[in-house]
Amino acid sequence: MKELSIAEVLAEVAVLVKPHFGKGRTADYIPSLASVPGSKFGMAVRTVAGEEHVIGDADEGFSVQSITKVFALGLALNRIGDEVWTRVGKEPSGTPFNHLSLLEAEKGVPRNPFINAGALAITDVLLDVSPDPAGLVRDFAGFLADERVEIDATVAASELANAWQNRAIASLMRGQGTITHEPEAVVAAYCRQCALTMSCRQLARAFLPLAAGGFSPVAQETIFHERLTRRLNALLLTCGIYDSVGNFAYRVGLPSKSGVGGGVVAVIPGKATVAVWSPELDRFGTSVVGTAALEAFSQITNCSVL
């Protein structure tokens, strides 16, 4: 049987995901995200060899939210190395991304850097480096995508106005000494970071070092050493989709990171990155159509690492 081109695979995926629209809901607890049309769908693939293919709304910017946690963690590890792991663990949480009870039981040390508690701890680390950690994340993401990207001030304000759970998390960690800066400053920086706007095409480019052994074919520069790249991919595989990571690994089988803006980015080590955007979320906060699209892509191309 003739092997499909990437463009043909994307066209087939777009057909296969149609029955999944309308099965989720947008992130209505962040008012500025609630109004995004659920019918939006974009997908982009960028290969290590330099091919780039897109379909649908792949060039429309959207709020990437928790996907920024990968950029923040990469920055922190590049700046202070393994000292990061004195603040945050490497284990799947098995609880929702904004859960408090496990954090309290484990004396303020987050299970991993991709739940909100872990991301707030990473933000606290970056506040030691810069008074504007969100700006660092924005500039790093833009450098990797080879395009200027921006933080949406309206989304940031909307998120901060409703960030009561994150304030509780930050206060608990401040009481346990996990973070050292004022909780409100940490939460404000984190909300601003999450309000970063990028497109699927930009995300696929920005994540490419994780598929290329740490080297960015876009920036033509080594971003992470090879060992760190493997470790970041391992964390994405085991912790990148919160408490549905097992189901996602079963269906997709690729290191991935989701965000409540509806984006999901997957890494095919040694080959490519795939970014998908569709705003309707499942009960775990991951795009319904995005997950279905990556599952179909993985099955058609047989690219699962599992």
Side-chain angles (χ1 to χ4, degrees):
M1 188 172 75
K2 175 181 173 288
E3 184 175 336
L4 297 178
S5 68
I6 294 175
E8 290 170 328
V9 171
L10 290 180
E12 185 168 338
V13 168
V15 173
L16 292 172
V17 300
K18 285 182 179 179
H20 296 275
F21 285 94
K23 292 186 176 181
R25 56 189 298 178
T26 56
D28 52 8
Y29 62 93
I30 301 174
S32 62
L33 298 185
S35 59
V36 179
S39 59
K40 292 288 185 180
F41 172 70
M43 195 166 181
V45 178
R46 178 71 184 234
T47 71
V48 170
E51 288 185 71
E52 193 168 79
H53 300 272
V54 300
I55 196 167
D57 302 307
D59 286 310
E60 182 172 338
F62 63 94
S63 189
V64 297
Q65 293 291 314
S66 286
I67 295 172
T68 61
K69 295 171 181 176
V70 183
F71 302 130
L73 177 61
L75 281 169
L77 287 167
N78 270 344
R79 296 296 179 102
I80 70 169
D82 285 346
E83 188 182 331
V84 165
W85 306 121
T86 64
R87 304 276 202 100
V88 62
K90 313 179 191 74
E91 298 295 331
S93 67
T95 56
F97 58 83
N98 60 354
H99 214 246
L100 269 167
S101 61
L102 186 63
L103 181 67
E104 185 173 17
E106 298 184 348
K107 303 196 182 303
V109 178
R111 276 286 179 97
N112 67 69
F114 296 144
I115 54 175
N116 285 13
L120 289 165
I122 297 300
T123 297
D124 187 70
V125 169
L126 293 178
L127 275 166
D128 288 335
V129 175
S130 167
D132 182 17
L136 283 182
V137 171
R138 175 200 61 209
D139 294 345
F140 186 43
F143 169 73
L144 293 176
D146 196 30
E147 289 184 16
R148 184 178 176 85
V149 296
E150 299 292 349
I151 291 168
D152 187 318
T154 301
V155 173
S158 176
E159 196 156 352
L160 184 60
N162 293 276
W164 305 113
Q165 190 85 350
N166 284 334
R167 287 182 172 94
I169 291 169
S171 294
L172 193 158
M173 290 198 295
R174 182 69 180 89
Q176 294 287 351
T178 307
I179 65 173
T180 60
H181 296 89
E182 286 301 311
E184 188 63 25
V186 175
V187 171
Y190 172 66
C191 289
R192 188 164 176 264
Q193 168 193 307
C194 286
L196 184 68
T197 297
M198 296 180 74
S199 68
C200 289
R201 190 192 298 266
Q202 290 170 331
L203 281 170
R205 291 176 180 176
F207 269 67
L208 202 56
L210 296 179
F215 180 77
S216 170
V218 177
Q220 286 293 299
E221 186 173 321
T222 296
I223 307 300
F224 308 118
H225 59 68
E226 192 172 352
R227 184 184 67 165
L228 176 54
T229 303
R230 289 197 305 271
R231 289 179 170 180
L232 285 170
N233 280 329
L235 283 166
L236 288 172
L237 186 64
T238 58
C239 306
I241 314 290
Y242 310 123
D243 48 329
S244 65
V245 67
N247 179 61
F248 188 92
Y250 181 85
R251 293 178 61 185
V252 178
L254 294 170
S256 303
K257 186 72 197 80
S258 63
V260 296
V264 191
V265 187
V267 178
I268 309 170
K271 295 181 180 179
T273 51
V274 187
V276 192
W277 172 50
S278 189
E280 294 177 340
L281 311 177
D282 62 20
R283 64 190 179 92
F284 301 105
T286 300
S287 172
V288 172
V289 173
T291 300
L294 288 170
E295 180 181 20
F297 185 91
S298 175
Q299 289 179 351
I300 295 168
T301 60
N302 195 30
C303 66
S304 170
V305 300
L306 300 175

